[in-house]
Amino acid sequence: MAFALIRSGRMRATMLVASALLACEQRKAGPAGPGSSRPGDGSESVFAEDFESGTLAAWQDGVDPTRHRVVSDPGSARSGSHYLAVTYSAGRDGGWLTRFLAPGYDSLYVSYYVRFPSNWQGGTKLIAFYGSRTDDPWSAFGKAGACPTGADFFAAMLVTEPSANPGPLRFYTYYPAMAREPDRVTCWGRYGNGSERYEPPLALGGGWHHVEFLVQLNTPNQADARQTFWIDGAQQGSWSGFRFRDSAILRLNAVQLTFSITGGAGQTQELYLDDVVVRRARP
């Protein structure tokens, strides 16, 4: 009946139909789906994965059915009925899952939930933002041990130390001014440069824990980058006043669930994740 209206009535009907369609799309996306939160404030989601599809089709690189599986168990999921289980076989790690975010961003925030089982041993990498060149989306990958030049790549990760089961959460960063190894040509990710601040660590064992990670790139050739992480809403780490890049050709253009362990796991074990959301800013 609304389409039978004339003149101003037609315009009102069109607006009503558009609003209904928008509401429908928002319902499809769900509370953590792309485009949720307050439009225009940077908190709209860039990417969201709650594993409710039952597949890993949203991930564009690294899917390995021998290590990654979506579990259907409403009693164990953090929300809904599905979550990701990652298997670390003895002597191996848990691989990775990558989502590219072309053409890239100068600031990104990721929120997700992680659960370590009671028999977990050692440390692991957990989450990473990669900075590749905008003309080569792979320029930041396969760079373990490489020293960034400021125009080729950077990486910002969170890892748990191997000092406990699991150990404290730490930054693990590749950036141009990072310390070199004694050979002067090898670089391994750094927990900081002396200006970082870590709060007394919160335990990550037992139950689901909310991990948030915010990375703000520097203005090219200026040392004004910053990164911060939170556990269960409490700020646990901050680091500012350094450079990720010397050229605007580098941007944040991939997020990765990364499960690397140097030397592999000491035993076969699993890690569980749920409700991954990437935004341009912390809500």
Side-chain angles (χ1 to χ4, degrees):
M1 294 177 63
F3 289 104
L5 297 177
I6 57 174
R7 297 182 181 176
S8 63
R10 285 179 179 168
M11 181 174 293
R12 180 174 180 274
T14 300
M15 293 174 65
L16 287 171
V17 171
S19 297
L21 289 173
L22 176 60
C24 180
E25 289 303 310
Q26 289 174 335
R27 284 195 296 272
K28 289 179 181 177
S36 63
S37 298
R38 301 173 297 278
D41 70 353
S43 65
E44 306 98 320
S45 60
V46 172
F47 170 68
E49 169 67 291
D50 57 12
F51 304 104
E52 292 303 312
S53 70
T55 76
L56 296 173
W59 301 94
Q60 298 163 316
D61 182 62
V63 176
D64 180 350
T66 68
R67 293 190 277 195
H68 311 135
R69 74 185 193 281
V70 177
V71 178
S72 177
D73 181 355
S76 297
R78 186 262 161 185
S79 67
S81 58
H82 295 76
Y83 62 96
L84 174 67
V86 180
T87 299
Y88 297 67
S89 297
R92 300 183 65 199
D93 62 23
W96 66 90
L97 294 170
T98 305
R99 173 74 183 204
F100 293 95
L101 305 170
Y105 299 83
D106 291 332
S107 177
L108 281 177
Y109 157 90
V110 61
S111 162
Y112 82 128
Y113 290 80
V114 62
R115 178 163 60 89
F116 289 87
S118 59
N119 66 341
W120 176 270
Q121 292 185 5
T124 182
K125 290 180 180 176
L126 284 178
I127 191 80
F129 282 125
Y130 285 97
S132 291
R133 293 173 57 90
T134 55
D135 59 0
D136 180 4
W138 292 97
S139 74
F141 293 86
K143 296 293 188 179
C147 301
T149 67
D152 54 353
F153 83 99
F154 65 83
M157 309 181 194
L158 294 181
V159 303
T160 60
E161 288 189 14
S163 57
N165 301 310
L169 198 61
R170 295 290 183 253
F171 298 113
Y172 192 80
T173 305
Y174 282 83
Y175 62 105
M178 67 190 298
R180 270 57 175 167
E181 297 301 311
D183 65 7
R184 308 304 300 166
V185 296
T186 302
C187 290
W188 300 110
R190 299 295 172 180
Y191 290 169
N193 62 2
S195 66
E196 75 286 352
R197 177 172 177 170
Y198 293 112
E199 303 299 330
L202 297 176
L204 280 171
W208 289 103
H209 292 280
H210 187 196
V211 176
E212 303 170 85
F213 185 29
L214 173 67
V215 176
Q216 172 69 59
L217 297 187
N218 62 293
T219 305
N221 293 309
Q222 296 186 31
D224 56 1
R226 63 185 176 92
Q227 52 184 344
T228 309
F229 69 85
W230 298 259
I231 299 175
D232 296 331
Q235 182 172 308
Q236 289 285 283
S238 60
W239 181 6
S240 61
F242 66 103
R243 297 169 15 254
F244 276 115
R245 60 182 182 174
D246 292 329
S247 169
I249 201 166
L250 293 182
R251 304 192 78 189
L252 292 157
N253 42 31
V255 65
Q256 185 179 84
L257 304 180
T258 178
F259 312 111
S260 175
I261 295 180
T262 301
Q267 62 173 13
T268 297
Q269 57 191 7
E270 290 191 337
L271 183 68
Y272 310 113
L273 294 93
D274 207 351
D275 294 330
V276 182
V277 182
V278 179
R279 307 179 190 274
R280 292 189 294 114
R282 190 175 188 232

